[in-house]
Amino acid sequence: LPAVYSLDGLLVFGLLLVCTCAYLRKVPRLRIWLLSERRGIWGVCHKAAVIGTRLHVAVSMSCLLMAFYVLVGK
């Protein structure tokens, strides 16, 4: 629980949200069911999915760097 309030915990949460929403966007049934709404909490998931698909190289590099930081740097 204390990791939620740290900056690196927040970055991990954001990266996981973007990666998960981008993955869910690739599944056709889930895309229609979950990511069709553009307002509220589902709108945040929709925007995270758009970021994950358009900036997939930057997001994947960020995930690798964060994994290295969490495993080795911490």
Side-chain angles (χ1 to χ4, degrees), residues 2-59:
V4 174
Y5 298 111
S6 64
L7 181 62
D8 55 343
L10 195 61
L11 288 174
V12 168
F13 176 76
L15 283 172
L16 287 175
L17 178 73
V18 168
C19 292
T20 303
C21 291
Y23 177 76
L24 291 177
R25 186 176 175 154
K26 296 292 183 183
V27 181
R29 288 184 189 228
L30 291 177
R31 181 179 186 180
I32 294 170
W33 189 55
L34 291 175
L35 299 173
S36 61
E37 186 67 35
R38 295 181 188 221
R39 291 186 179 162
I41 189 67
W42 297 117
V44 173
C45 292
H46 173 76
K47 290 175 185 175
V50 169
I51 290 170
T53 53
R54 290 187 183 169
L55 300 174
H56 61 279
V57 175
V59 170

